mmCIF file with all atom_site columns, all heavy atoms in Angstrom:
data_model
loop_
_atom_site.group_PDB
_atom_site.id
_atom_site.type_symbol
_atom_site.label_atom_id
_atom_site.label_alt_id
_atom_site.label_comp_id
_atom_site.label_asym_id
_atom_site.label_entity_id
_atom_site.label_seq_id
_atom_site.pdbx_PDB_ins_code
_atom_site.Cartn_x
_atom_site.Cartn_y
_atom_site.Cartn_z
_atom_site.occupancy
_atom_site.B_iso_or_equiv
_atom_site.pdbx_formal_charge
_atom_site.auth_seq_id
_atom_site.auth_comp_id
_atom_site.auth_asym_id
_atom_site.auth_atom_id
_atom_site.pdbx_PDB_model_num
ATOM 1   N N   . GLY M 1 1  ? 0.593   -4.948  16.100  1.00 83.00 ? 1  GLY M N   1
ATOM 2   C CA  . GLY M 1 1  ? 0.666   -4.863  17.549  1.00 83.00 ? 1  GLY M CA  1
ATOM 3   C C   . GLY M 1 1  ? -0.396  -3.970  18.168  1.00 83.00 ? 1  GLY M C   1
ATOM 4   O O   . GLY M 1 1  ? -0.511  -3.906  19.398  1.00 83.00 ? 1  GLY M O   1
ATOM 5   N N   . VAL M 1 2  ? -1.187  -3.290  17.336  1.00 88.00 ? 2  VAL M N   1
ATOM 6   C CA  . VAL M 1 2  ? -2.243  -2.403  17.840  1.00 88.00 ? 2  VAL M CA  1
ATOM 7   C C   . VAL M 1 2  ? -3.408  -3.252  18.352  1.00 88.00 ? 2  VAL M C   1
ATOM 8   O O   . VAL M 1 2  ? -3.845  -4.200  17.699  1.00 88.00 ? 2  VAL M O   1
ATOM 9   C CB  . VAL M 1 2  ? -2.725  -1.450  16.729  1.00 88.00 ? 2  VAL M CB  1
ATOM 10  C CG1 . VAL M 1 2  ? -3.956  -0.668  17.186  1.00 88.00 ? 2  VAL M CG1 1
ATOM 11  C CG2 . VAL M 1 2  ? -1.610  -0.497  16.329  1.00 88.00 ? 2  VAL M CG2 1
ATOM 12  N N   . SER M 1 3  ? -3.906  -2.895  19.505  1.00 84.00 ? 3  SER M N   1
ATOM 13  C CA  . SER M 1 3  ? -5.029  -3.628  20.099  1.00 84.00 ? 3  SER M CA  1
ATOM 14  C C   . SER M 1 3  ? -6.237  -3.629  19.167  1.00 84.00 ? 3  SER M C   1
ATOM 15  O O   . SER M 1 3  ? -6.630  -2.577  18.654  1.00 84.00 ? 3  SER M O   1
ATOM 16  C CB  . SER M 1 3  ? -5.411  -3.000  21.439  1.00 84.00 ? 3  SER M CB  1
ATOM 17  O OG  . SER M 1 3  ? -6.551  -3.620  21.985  1.00 84.00 ? 3  SER M OG  1
ATOM 18  N N   . GLY M 1 4  ? -6.820  -4.800  18.947  1.00 84.00 ? 4  GLY M N   1
ATOM 19  C CA  . GLY M 1 4  ? -8.009  -4.912  18.121  1.00 84.00 ? 4  GLY M CA  1
ATOM 20  C C   . GLY M 1 4  ? -7.752  -5.145  16.650  1.00 84.00 ? 4  GLY M C   1
ATOM 21  O O   . GLY M 1 4  ? -8.687  -5.435  15.903  1.00 84.00 ? 4  GLY M O   1
ATOM 22  N N   . VAL M 1 5  ? -6.506  -5.027  16.203  1.00 88.00 ? 5  VAL M N   1
ATOM 23  C CA  . VAL M 1 5  ? -6.200  -5.253  14.785  1.00 88.00 ? 5  VAL M CA  1
ATOM 24  C C   . VAL M 1 5  ? -6.223  -6.753  14.512  1.00 88.00 ? 5  VAL M C   1
ATOM 25  O O   . VAL M 1 5  ? -5.520  -7.531  15.159  1.00 88.00 ? 5  VAL M O   1
ATOM 26  C CB  . VAL M 1 5  ? -4.840  -4.652  14.391  1.00 88.00 ? 5  VAL M CB  1
ATOM 27  C CG1 . VAL M 1 5  ? -4.398  -5.150  13.019  1.00 88.00 ? 5  VAL M CG1 1
ATOM 28  C CG2 . VAL M 1 5  ? -4.927  -3.132  14.391  1.00 88.00 ? 5  VAL M CG2 1
ATOM 29  N N   . ILE M 1 6  ? -7.026  -7.164  13.544  1.00 86.00 ? 6  ILE M N   1
ATOM 30  C CA  . ILE M 1 6  ? -7.161  -8.568  13.180  1.00 86.00 ? 6  ILE M CA  1
ATOM 31  C C   . ILE M 1 6  ? -6.176  -8.945  12.088  1.00 86.00 ? 6  ILE M C   1
ATOM 32  O O   . ILE M 1 6  ? -5.607  -10.033 12.082  1.00 86.00 ? 6  ILE M O   1
ATOM 33  C CB  . ILE M 1 6  ? -8.609  -8.861  12.730  1.00 86.00 ? 6  ILE M CB  1
ATOM 34  C CG1 . ILE M 1 6  ? -9.562  -8.661  13.921  1.00 86.00 ? 6  ILE M CG1 1
ATOM 35  C CG2 . ILE M 1 6  ? -8.751  -10.269 12.162  1.00 86.00 ? 6  ILE M CG2 1
ATOM 36  C CD1 . ILE M 1 6  ? -11.024 -8.714  13.534  1.00 86.00 ? 6  ILE M CD1 1
ATOM 37  N N   . ASP M 1 7  ? -5.939  -8.040  11.140  1.00 90.00 ? 7  ASP M N   1
ATOM 38  C CA  . ASP M 1 7  ? -4.996  -8.318  10.053  1.00 90.00 ? 7  ASP M CA  1
ATOM 39  C C   . ASP M 1 7  ? -4.533  -6.999  9.455   1.00 90.00 ? 7  ASP M C   1
ATOM 40  O O   . ASP M 1 7  ? -5.204  -5.965  9.588   1.00 90.00 ? 7  ASP M O   1
ATOM 41  C CB  . ASP M 1 7  ? -5.671  -9.185  8.988   1.00 90.00 ? 7  ASP M CB  1
ATOM 42  C CG  . ASP M 1 7  ? -4.675  -9.825  8.026   1.00 90.00 ? 7  ASP M CG  1
ATOM 43  O OD1 . ASP M 1 7  ? -3.465  -9.839  8.355   1.00 90.00 ? 7  ASP M OD1 1
ATOM 44  O OD2 . ASP M 1 7  ? -5.091  -10.316 6.962   1.00 90.00 ? 7  ASP M OD2 1
ATOM 45  N N   . ALA M 1 8  ? -3.371  -7.045  8.796   1.00 93.00 ? 8  ALA M N   1
ATOM 46  C CA  . ALA M 1 8  ? -2.827  -5.859  8.147   1.00 93.00 ? 8  ALA M CA  1
ATOM 47  C C   . ALA M 1 8  ? -1.957  -6.286  6.977   1.00 93.00 ? 8  ALA M C   1
ATOM 48  O O   . ALA M 1 8  ? -1.357  -7.362  6.984   1.00 93.00 ? 8  ALA M O   1
ATOM 49  C CB  . ALA M 1 8  ? -2.008  -5.018  9.129   1.00 93.00 ? 8  ALA M CB  1
ATOM 50  N N   . PHE M 1 9  ? -1.886  -5.417  5.968   1.00 94.00 ? 9  PHE M N   1
ATOM 51  C CA  . PHE M 1 9  ? -1.038  -5.648  4.796   1.00 94.00 ? 9  PHE M CA  1
ATOM 52  C C   . PHE M 1 9  ? -0.379  -4.336  4.437   1.00 94.00 ? 9  PHE M C   1
ATOM 53  O O   . PHE M 1 9  ? -1.039  -3.286  4.433   1.00 94.00 ? 9  PHE M O   1
ATOM 54  C CB  . PHE M 1 9  ? -1.874  -6.172  3.619   1.00 94.00 ? 9  PHE M CB  1
ATOM 55  C CG  . PHE M 1 9  ? -1.059  -6.504  2.403   1.00 94.00 ? 9  PHE M CG  1
ATOM 56  C CD1 . PHE M 1 9  ? -0.490  -7.751  2.256   1.00 94.00 ? 9  PHE M CD1 1
ATOM 57  C CD2 . PHE M 1 9  ? -0.860  -5.552  1.412   1.00 94.00 ? 9  PHE M CD2 1
ATOM 58  C CE1 . PHE M 1 9  ? 0.279   -8.059  1.138   1.00 94.00 ? 9  PHE M CE1 1
ATOM 59  C CE2 . PHE M 1 9  ? -0.101  -5.845  0.290   1.00 94.00 ? 9  PHE M CE2 1
ATOM 60  C CZ  . PHE M 1 9  ? 0.473   -7.105  0.150   1.00 94.00 ? 9  PHE M CZ  1
ATOM 61  N N   . VAL M 1 10 ? 0.918   -4.365  4.136   1.00 94.00 ? 10 VAL M N   1
ATOM 62  C CA  . VAL M 1 10 ? 1.674   -3.146  3.848   1.00 94.00 ? 10 VAL M CA  1
ATOM 63  C C   . VAL M 1 10 ? 2.477   -3.340  2.572   1.00 94.00 ? 10 VAL M C   1
ATOM 64  O O   . VAL M 1 10 ? 3.157   -4.363  2.396   1.00 94.00 ? 10 VAL M O   1
ATOM 65  C CB  . VAL M 1 10 ? 2.635   -2.797  5.007   1.00 94.00 ? 10 VAL M CB  1
ATOM 66  C CG1 . VAL M 1 10 ? 3.401   -1.510  4.689   1.00 94.00 ? 10 VAL M CG1 1
ATOM 67  C CG2 . VAL M 1 10 ? 1.875   -2.650  6.315   1.00 94.00 ? 10 VAL M CG2 1
ATOM 68  N N   . THR M 1 11 ? 2.399   -2.374  1.669   1.00 94.00 ? 11 THR M N   1
ATOM 69  C CA  . THR M 1 11 ? 3.238   -2.362  0.484   1.00 94.00 ? 11 THR M CA  1
ATOM 70  C C   . THR M 1 11 ? 3.463   -0.904  0.075   1.00 94.00 ? 11 THR M C   1
ATOM 71  O O   . THR M 1 11 ? 3.015   0.013   0.781   1.00 94.00 ? 11 THR M O   1
ATOM 72  C CB  . THR M 1 11 ? 2.595   -3.173  -0.667  1.00 94.00 ? 11 THR M CB  1
ATOM 73  O OG1 . THR M 1 11 ? 3.541   -3.291  -1.739  1.00 94.00 ? 11 THR M OG1 1
ATOM 74  C CG2 . THR M 1 11 ? 1.335   -2.507  -1.187  1.00 94.00 ? 11 THR M CG2 1
ATOM 75  N N   . GLU M 1 12 ? 4.141   -0.684  -1.046  1.00 92.00 ? 12 GLU M N   1
ATOM 76  C CA  . GLU M 1 12 ? 4.436   0.686   -1.469  1.00 92.00 ? 12 GLU M CA  1
ATOM 77  C C   . GLU M 1 12 ? 4.555   0.750   -2.986  1.00 92.00 ? 12 GLU M C   1
ATOM 78  O O   . GLU M 1 12 ? 4.738   -0.269  -3.663  1.00 92.00 ? 12 GLU M O   1
ATOM 79  C CB  . GLU M 1 12 ? 5.748   1.167   -0.842  1.00 92.00 ? 12 GLU M CB  1
ATOM 80  C CG  . GLU M 1 12 ? 6.967   0.385   -1.322  1.00 92.00 ? 12 GLU M CG  1
ATOM 81  C CD  . GLU M 1 12 ? 8.271   0.896   -0.754  1.00 92.00 ? 12 GLU M CD  1
ATOM 82  O OE1 . GLU M 1 12 ? 8.290   2.043   -0.271  1.00 92.00 ? 12 GLU M OE1 1
ATOM 83  O OE2 . GLU M 1 12 ? 9.273   0.159   -0.817  1.00 92.00 ? 12 GLU M OE2 1
ATOM 84  N N   . ASN M 1 13 ? 4.452   1.967   -3.502  1.00 92.00 ? 13 ASN M N   1
ATOM 85  C CA  . ASN M 1 13 ? 4.790   2.265   -4.885  1.00 92.00 ? 13 ASN M CA  1
ATOM 86  C C   . ASN M 1 13 ? 5.977   3.214   -4.846  1.00 92.00 ? 13 ASN M C   1
ATOM 87  O O   . ASN M 1 13 ? 5.831   4.393   -4.520  1.00 92.00 ? 13 ASN M O   1
ATOM 88  C CB  . ASN M 1 13 ? 3.608   2.903   -5.616  1.00 92.00 ? 13 ASN M CB  1
ATOM 89  C CG  . ASN M 1 13 ? 3.967   3.339   -7.036  1.00 92.00 ? 13 ASN M CG  1
ATOM 90  O OD1 . ASN M 1 13 ? 5.014   2.958   -7.563  1.00 92.00 ? 13 ASN M OD1 1
ATOM 91  N ND2 . ASN M 1 13 ? 3.110   4.137   -7.644  1.00 92.00 ? 13 ASN M ND2 1
ATOM 92  N N   . SER M 1 14 ? 7.148   2.703   -5.131  1.00 88.00 ? 14 SER M N   1
ATOM 93  C CA  . SER M 1 14 ? 8.368   3.514   -5.033  1.00 88.00 ? 14 SER M CA  1
ATOM 94  C C   . SER M 1 14 ? 8.725   4.196   -6.346  1.00 88.00 ? 14 SER M C   1
ATOM 95  O O   . SER M 1 14 ? 9.773   4.831   -6.445  1.00 88.00 ? 14 SER M O   1
ATOM 96  C CB  . SER M 1 14 ? 9.542   2.626   -4.588  1.00 88.00 ? 14 SER M CB  1
ATOM 97  O OG  . SER M 1 14 ? 9.735   1.554   -5.492  1.00 88.00 ? 14 SER M OG  1
ATOM 98  N N   . THR M 1 15 ? 7.843   4.079   -7.355  1.00 91.00 ? 15 THR M N   1
ATOM 99  C CA  . THR M 1 15 ? 8.124   4.690   -8.654  1.00 91.00 ? 15 THR M CA  1
ATOM 100 C C   . THR M 1 15 ? 7.527   6.097   -8.714  1.00 91.00 ? 15 THR M C   1
ATOM 101 O O   . THR M 1 15 ? 6.758   6.512   -7.854  1.00 91.00 ? 15 THR M O   1
ATOM 102 C CB  . THR M 1 15 ? 7.539   3.840   -9.788  1.00 91.00 ? 15 THR M CB  1
ATOM 103 O OG1 . THR M 1 15 ? 6.104   3.929   -9.765  1.00 91.00 ? 15 THR M OG1 1
ATOM 104 C CG2 . THR M 1 15 ? 7.960   2.378   -9.642  1.00 91.00 ? 15 THR M CG2 1
ATOM 105 N N   . ASN M 1 16 ? 7.851   6.819   -9.807  1.00 91.00 ? 16 ASN M N   1
ATOM 106 C CA  . ASN M 1 16 ? 7.371   8.189   -9.984  1.00 91.00 ? 16 ASN M CA  1
ATOM 107 C C   . ASN M 1 16 ? 6.068   8.262   -10.774 1.00 91.00 ? 16 ASN M C   1
ATOM 108 O O   . ASN M 1 16 ? 5.680   9.341   -11.220 1.00 91.00 ? 16 ASN M O   1
ATOM 109 C CB  . ASN M 1 16 ? 8.440   9.022   -10.688 1.00 91.00 ? 16 ASN M CB  1
ATOM 110 C CG  . ASN M 1 16 ? 9.658   9.252   -9.810  1.00 91.00 ? 16 ASN M CG  1
ATOM 111 O OD1 . ASN M 1 16 ? 9.536   9.411   -8.598  1.00 91.00 ? 16 ASN M OD1 1
ATOM 112 N ND2 . ASN M 1 16 ? 10.835  9.243   -10.407 1.00 91.00 ? 16 ASN M ND2 1
ATOM 113 N N   . SER M 1 17 ? 5.411   7.123   -10.956 1.00 93.00 ? 17 SER M N   1
ATOM 114 C CA  . SER M 1 17 ? 4.140   7.106   -11.673 1.00 93.00 ? 17 SER M CA  1
ATOM 115 C C   . SER M 1 17 ? 3.187   6.143   -10.981 1.00 93.00 ? 17 SER M C   1
ATOM 116 O O   . SER M 1 17 ? 3.626   5.233   -10.271 1.00 93.00 ? 17 SER M O   1
ATOM 117 C CB  . SER M 1 17 ? 4.355   6.683   -13.131 1.00 93.00 ? 17 SER M CB  1
ATOM 118 O OG  . SER M 1 17 ? 4.945   5.392   -13.193 1.00 93.00 ? 17 SER M OG  1
ATOM 119 N N   . PRO M 1 18 ? 1.880   6.329   -11.172 1.00 92.00 ? 18 PRO M N   1
ATOM 120 C CA  . PRO M 1 18 ? 0.921   5.409   -10.539 1.00 92.00 ? 18 PRO M CA  1
ATOM 121 C C   . PRO M 1 18 ? 1.153   3.967   -10.994 1.00 92.00 ? 18 PRO M C   1
ATOM 122 O O   . PRO M 1 18 ? 1.493   3.720   -12.153 1.00 92.00 ? 18 PRO M O   1
ATOM 123 C CB  . PRO M 1 18 ? -0.434  5.938   -11.006 1.00 92.00 ? 18 PRO M CB  1
ATOM 124 C CG  . PRO M 1 18 ? -0.179  7.360   -11.381 1.00 92.00 ? 18 PRO M CG  1
ATOM 125 C CD  . PRO M 1 18 ? 1.213   7.404   -11.921 1.00 92.00 ? 18 PRO M CD  1
ATOM 126 N N   . GLN M 1 19 ? 0.957   3.044   -10.072 1.00 93.00 ? 19 GLN M N   1
ATOM 127 C CA  . GLN M 1 19 ? 1.128   1.630   -10.369 1.00 93.00 ? 19 GLN M CA  1
ATOM 128 C C   . GLN M 1 19 ? -0.036  0.847   -9.773  1.00 93.00 ? 19 GLN M C   1
ATOM 129 O O   . GLN M 1 19 ? -0.572  1.218   -8.725  1.00 93.00 ? 19 GLN M O   1
ATOM 130 C CB  . GLN M 1 19 ? 2.440   1.099   -9.774  1.00 93.00 ? 19 GLN M CB  1
ATOM 131 C CG  . GLN M 1 19 ? 3.702   1.762   -10.313 1.00 93.00 ? 19 GLN M CG  1
ATOM 132 C CD  . GLN M 1 19 ? 4.026   1.322   -11.727 1.00 93.00 ? 19 GLN M CD  1
ATOM 133 O OE1 . GLN M 1 19 ? 3.744   0.186   -12.111 1.00 93.00 ? 19 GLN M OE1 1
ATOM 134 N NE2 . GLN M 1 19 ? 4.628   2.216   -12.507 1.00 93.00 ? 19 GLN M NE2 1
ATOM 135 N N   . THR M 1 20 ? -0.427  -0.244  -10.446 1.00 92.00 ? 20 THR M N   1
ATOM 136 C CA  . THR M 1 20 ? -1.447  -1.131  -9.906  1.00 92.00 ? 20 THR M CA  1
ATOM 137 C C   . THR M 1 20 ? -0.767  -2.295  -9.215  1.00 92.00 ? 20 THR M C   1
ATOM 138 O O   . THR M 1 20 ? 0.001   -3.039  -9.836  1.00 92.00 ? 20 THR M O   1
ATOM 139 C CB  . THR M 1 20 ? -2.386  -1.654  -11.011 1.00 92.00 ? 20 THR M CB  1
ATOM 140 O OG1 . THR M 1 20 ? -3.065  -0.543  -11.603 1.00 92.00 ? 20 THR M OG1 1
ATOM 141 C CG2 . THR M 1 20 ? -3.421  -2.613  -10.432 1.00 92.00 ? 20 THR M CG2 1
ATOM 142 N N   . VAL M 1 21 ? -1.026  -2.432  -7.921  1.00 91.00 ? 21 VAL M N   1
ATOM 143 C CA  . VAL M 1 21 ? -0.415  -3.489  -7.115  1.00 91.00 ? 21 VAL M CA  1
ATOM 144 C C   . VAL M 1 21 ? -1.540  -4.284  -6.449  1.00 91.00 ? 21 VAL M C   1
ATOM 145 O O   . VAL M 1 21 ? -2.362  -3.715  -5.743  1.00 91.00 ? 21 VAL M O   1
ATOM 146 C CB  . VAL M 1 21 ? 0.518   -2.902  -6.039  1.00 91.00 ? 21 VAL M CB  1
ATOM 147 C CG1 . VAL M 1 21 ? 1.131   -4.014  -5.187  1.00 91.00 ? 21 VAL M CG1 1
ATOM 148 C CG2 . VAL M 1 21 ? 1.609   -2.058  -6.674  1.00 91.00 ? 21 VAL M CG2 1
ATOM 149 N N   . GLY M 1 22 ? -1.582  -5.566  -6.687  1.00 90.00 ? 22 GLY M N   1
ATOM 150 C CA  . GLY M 1 22 ? -2.587  -6.408  -6.047  1.00 90.00 ? 22 GLY M CA  1
ATOM 151 C C   . GLY M 1 22 ? -4.005  -5.974  -6.308  1.00 90.00 ? 22 GLY M C   1
ATOM 152 O O   . GLY M 1 22 ? -4.869  -6.085  -5.439  1.00 90.00 ? 22 GLY M O   1
ATOM 153 N N   . GLY M 1 23 ? -4.251  -5.438  -7.534  1.00 90.00 ? 23 GLY M N   1
ATOM 154 C CA  . GLY M 1 23 ? -5.596  -5.016  -7.912  1.00 90.00 ? 23 GLY M CA  1
ATOM 155 C C   . GLY M 1 23 ? -5.969  -3.616  -7.466  1.00 90.00 ? 23 GLY M C   1
ATOM 156 O O   . GLY M 1 23 ? -7.098  -3.187  -7.681  1.00 90.00 ? 23 GLY M O   1
ATOM 157 N N   . VAL M 1 24 ? -5.030  -2.872  -6.857  1.00 92.00 ? 24 VAL M N   1
ATOM 158 C CA  . VAL M 1 24 ? -5.309  -1.519  -6.356  1.00 92.00 ? 24 VAL M CA  1
ATOM 159 C C   . VAL M 1 24 ? -4.335  -0.535  -6.991  1.00 92.00 ? 24 VAL M C   1
ATOM 160 O O   . VAL M 1 24 ? -3.123  -0.797  -7.060  1.00 92.00 ? 24 VAL M O   1
ATOM 161 C CB  . VAL M 1 24 ? -5.184  -1.459  -4.827  1.00 92.00 ? 24 VAL M CB  1
ATOM 162 C CG1 . VAL M 1 24 ? -5.415  -0.038  -4.317  1.00 92.00 ? 24 VAL M CG1 1
ATOM 163 C CG2 . VAL M 1 24 ? -6.183  -2.417  -4.181  1.00 92.00 ? 24 VAL M CG2 1
ATOM 164 N N   . SER M 1 25 ? -4.845  0.604   -7.461  1.00 91.00 ? 25 SER M N   1
ATOM 165 C CA  . SER M 1 25 ? -3.998  1.645   -8.040  1.00 91.00 ? 25 SER M CA  1
ATOM 166 C C   . SER M 1 25 ? -3.381  2.493   -6.931  1.00 91.00 ? 25 SER M C   1
ATOM 167 O O   . SER M 1 25 ? -4.093  3.074   -6.110  1.00 91.00 ? 25 SER M O   1
ATOM 168 C CB  . SER M 1 25 ? -4.820  2.533   -8.979  1.00 91.00 ? 25 SER M CB  1
ATOM 169 O OG  . SER M 1 25 ? -4.001  3.557   -9.535  1.00 91.00 ? 25 SER M OG  1
ATOM 170 N N   . LEU M 1 26 ? -2.046  2.532   -6.889  1.00 93.00 ? 26 LEU M N   1
ATOM 171 C CA  . LEU M 1 26 ? -1.333  3.292   -5.878  1.00 93.00 ? 26 LEU M CA  1
ATOM 172 C C   . LEU M 1 26 ? -0.699  4.529   -6.507  1.00 93.00 ? 26 LEU M C   1
ATOM 173 O O   . LEU M 1 26 ? -0.041  4.427   -7.547  1.00 93.00 ? 26 LEU M O   1
ATOM 174 C CB  . LEU M 1 26 ? -0.237  2.442   -5.233  1.00 93.00 ? 26 LEU M CB  1
ATOM 175 C CG  . LEU M 1 26 ? -0.655  1.100   -4.628  1.00 93.00 ? 26 LEU M CG  1
ATOM 176 C CD1 . LEU M 1 26 ? 0.530   0.448   -3.935  1.00 93.00 ? 26 LEU M CD1 1
ATOM 177 C CD2 . LEU M 1 26 ? -1.803  1.286   -3.658  1.00 93.00 ? 26 LEU M CD2 1
ATOM 178 N N   . PRO M 1 27 ? -0.858  5.717   -5.892  1.00 92.00 ? 27 PRO M N   1
ATOM 179 C CA  . PRO M 1 27 ? -0.216  6.929   -6.407  1.00 92.00 ? 27 PRO M CA  1
ATOM 180 C C   . PRO M 1 27 ? 1.301   6.792   -6.399  1.00 92.00 ? 27 PRO M C   1
ATOM 181 O O   . PRO M 1 27 ? 1.866   5.929   -5.726  1.00 92.00 ? 27 PRO M O   1
ATOM 182 C CB  . PRO M 1 27 ? -0.683  8.017   -5.425  1.00 92.00 ? 27 PRO M CB  1
ATOM 183 C CG  . PRO M 1 27 ? -1.893  7.451   -4.757  1.00 92.00 ? 27 PRO M CG  1
ATOM 184 C CD  . PRO M 1 27 ? -1.671  5.979   -4.700  1.00 92.00 ? 27 PRO M CD  1
ATOM 185 N N   . ALA M 1 28 ? 1.962   7.662   -7.136  1.00 91.00 ? 28 ALA M N   1
ATOM 186 C CA  . ALA M 1 28 ? 3.425   7.642   -7.195  1.00 91.00 ? 28 ALA M CA  1
ATOM 187 C C   . ALA M 1 28 ? 4.020   7.885   -5.814  1.00 91.00 ? 28 ALA M C   1
ATOM 188 O O   . ALA M 1 28 ? 3.486   8.676   -5.022  1.00 91.00 ? 28 ALA M O   1
ATOM 189 C CB  . ALA M 1 28 ? 3.913   8.702   -8.167  1.00 91.00 ? 28 ALA M CB  1
ATOM 190 N N   . ASN M 1 29 ? 5.107   7.168   -5.518  1.00 90.00 ? 29 ASN M N   1
ATOM 191 C CA  . ASN M 1 29 ? 5.874   7.362   -4.276  1.00 90.00 ? 29 ASN M CA  1
ATOM 192 C C   . ASN M 1 29 ? 4.976   7.352   -3.035  1.00 90.00 ? 29 ASN M C   1
ATOM 193 O O   . ASN M 1 29 ? 5.053   8.245   -2.193  1.00 90.00 ? 29 ASN M O   1
ATOM 194 C CB  . ASN M 1 29 ? 6.660   8.677   -4.341  1.00 90.00 ? 29 ASN M CB  1
ATOM 195 C CG  . ASN M 1 29 ? 7.585   8.731   -5.532  1.00 90.00 ? 29 ASN M CG  1
ATOM 196 O OD1 . ASN M 1 29 ? 8.422   7.849   -5.704  1.00 90.00 ? 29 ASN M OD1 1
ATOM 197 N ND2 . ASN M 1 29 ? 7.429   9.736   -6.375  1.00 90.00 ? 29 ASN M ND2 1
ATOM 198 N N   . SER M 1 30 ? 4.147   6.338   -2.921  1.00 91.00 ? 30 SER M N   1
ATOM 199 C CA  . SER M 1 30 ? 3.199   6.303   -1.805  1.00 91.00 ? 30 SER M CA  1
ATOM 200 C C   . SER M 1 30 ? 3.301   5.003   -1.028  1.00 91.00 ? 30 SER M C   1
ATOM 201 O O   . SER M 1 30 ? 3.722   3.964   -1.537  1.00 91.00 ? 30 SER M O   1
ATOM 202 C CB  . SER M 1 30 ? 1.762   6.486   -2.315  1.00 91.00 ? 30 SER M CB  1
ATOM 203 O OG  . SER M 1 30 ? 1.371   5.380   -3.102  1.00 91.00 ? 30 SER M OG  1
ATOM 204 N N   . LEU M 1 31 ? 2.903   5.100   0.220   1.00 93.00 ? 31 LEU M N   1
ATOM 205 C CA  . LEU M 1 31 ? 2.807   3.947   1.115   1.00 93.00 ? 31 LEU M CA  1
ATOM 206 C C   . LEU M 1 31 ? 1.360   3.486   1.167   1.00 93.00 ? 31 LEU M C   1
ATOM 207 O O   . LEU M 1 31 ? 0.446   4.299   1.243   1.00 93.00 ? 31 LEU M O   1
ATOM 208 C CB  . LEU M 1 31 ? 3.276   4.356   2.517   1.00 93.00 ? 31 LEU M CB  1
ATOM 209 C CG  . LEU M 1 31 ? 3.055   3.344   3.652   1.00 93.00 ? 31 LEU M CG  1
ATOM 210 C CD1 . LEU M 1 31 ? 3.979   2.152   3.484   1.00 93.00 ? 31 LEU M CD1 1
ATOM 211 C CD2 . LEU M 1 31 ? 3.271   4.006   5.010   1.00 93.00 ? 31 LEU M CD2 1
ATOM 212 N N   . PHE M 1 32 ? 1.151   2.166   1.135   1.00 95.00 ? 32 PHE M N   1
ATOM 213 C CA  . PHE M 1 32 ? -0.198  1.614   1.220   1.00 95.00 ? 32 PHE M CA  1
ATOM 214 C C   . PHE M 1 32 ? -0.267  0.675   2.402   1.00 95.00 ? 32 PHE M C   1
ATOM 215 O O   . PHE M 1 32 ? 0.517   -0.271  2.513   1.00 95.00 ? 32 PHE M O   1
ATOM 216 C CB  . PHE M 1 32 ? -0.559  0.859   -0.059  1.00 95.00 ? 32 PHE M CB  1
ATOM 217 C CG  . PHE M 1 32 ? -1.904  0.185   -0.002  1.00 95.00 ? 32 PHE M CG  1
ATOM 218 C CD1 . PHE M 1 32 ? -3.055  0.873   -0.363  1.00 95.00 ? 32 PHE M CD1 1
ATOM 219 C CD2 . PHE M 1 32 ? -2.022  -1.139  0.430   1.00 95.00 ? 32 PHE M CD2 1
ATOM 220 C CE1 . PHE M 1 32 ? -4.297  0.255   -0.301  1.00 95.00 ? 32 PHE M CE1 1
ATOM 221 C CE2 . PHE M 1 32 ? -3.259  -1.761  0.489   1.00 95.00 ? 32 PHE M CE2 1
ATOM 222 C CZ  . PHE M 1 32 ? -4.398  -1.055  0.125   1.00 95.00 ? 32 PHE M CZ  1
ATOM 223 N N   . VAL M 1 33 ? -1.241  0.930   3.293   1.00 96.00 ? 33 VAL M N   1
ATOM 224 C CA  . VAL M 1 33 ? -1.467  0.077   4.457   1.00 96.00 ? 33 VAL M CA  1
ATOM 225 C C   . VAL M 1 33 ? -2.949  -0.260  4.509   1.00 96.00 ? 33 VAL M C   1
ATOM 226 O O   . VAL M 1 33 ? -3.785  0.645   4.556   1.00 96.00 ? 33 VAL M O   1
ATOM 227 C CB  . VAL M 1 33 ? -1.043  0.762   5.775   1.00 96.00 ? 33 VAL M CB  1
ATOM 228 C CG1 . VAL M 1 33 ? -1.259  -0.176  6.959   1.00 96.00 ? 33 VAL M CG1 1
ATOM 229 C CG2 . VAL M 1 33 ? 0.407   1.213   5.712   1.00 96.00 ? 33 VAL M CG2 1
ATOM 230 N N   . ALA M 1 34 ? -3.279  -1.546  4.471   1.00 95.00 ? 34 ALA M N   1
ATOM 231 C CA  . ALA M 1 34 ? -4.663  -1.994  4.625   1.00 95.00 ? 34 ALA M CA  1
ATOM 232 C C   . ALA M 1 34 ? -4.802  -2.661  5.980   1.00 95.00 ? 34 ALA M C   1
ATOM 233 O O   . ALA M 1 34 ? -3.964  -3.486  6.360   1.00 95.00 ? 34 ALA M O   1
ATOM 234 C CB  . ALA M 1 34 ? -5.053  -2.968  3.518   1.00 95.00 ? 34 ALA M CB  1
ATOM 235 N N   . VAL M 1 35 ? -5.851  -2.307  6.725   1.00 94.00 ? 35 VAL M N   1
ATOM 236 C CA  . VAL M 1 35 ? -6.011  -2.779  8.098   1.00 94.00 ? 35 VAL M CA  1
ATOM 237 C C   . VAL M 1 35 ? -7.448  -3.224  8.331   1.00 94.00 ? 35 VAL M C   1
ATOM 238 O O   . VAL M 1 35 ? -8.394  -2.568  7.889   1.00 94.00 ? 35 VAL M O   1
ATOM 239 C CB  . VAL M 1 35 ? -5.651  -1.665  9.118   1.00 94.00 ? 35 VAL M CB  1
ATOM 240 C CG1 . VAL M 1 35 ? -5.741  -2.202  10.548  1.00 94.00 ? 35 VAL M CG1 1
ATOM 241 C CG2 . VAL M 1 35 ? -4.271  -1.112  8.847   1.00 94.00 ? 35 VAL M CG2 1
#
């Protein structure tokens, strides 16, 4: 809903260790937002 945003993707790593999601390494217990 932000003006000018063309696309966005949101996911998370809810575990206590780093995880690779969709080709990207996410830190433990972190939120990932690509815009």
Side-chain angles (χ1 to χ4, degrees):
V2 172
S3 176
V5 168
I6 295 171
D7 195 15
F9 183 87
V10 181
T11 188
E12 65 177 342
N13 175 13
S14 58
T15 70
N16 291 324
S17 59
Q19 298 286 328
T20 298
V21 179
V24 178
S25 179
L26 305 185
N29 303 304
S30 67
L31 171 70
F32 176 87
V33 182
V35 183

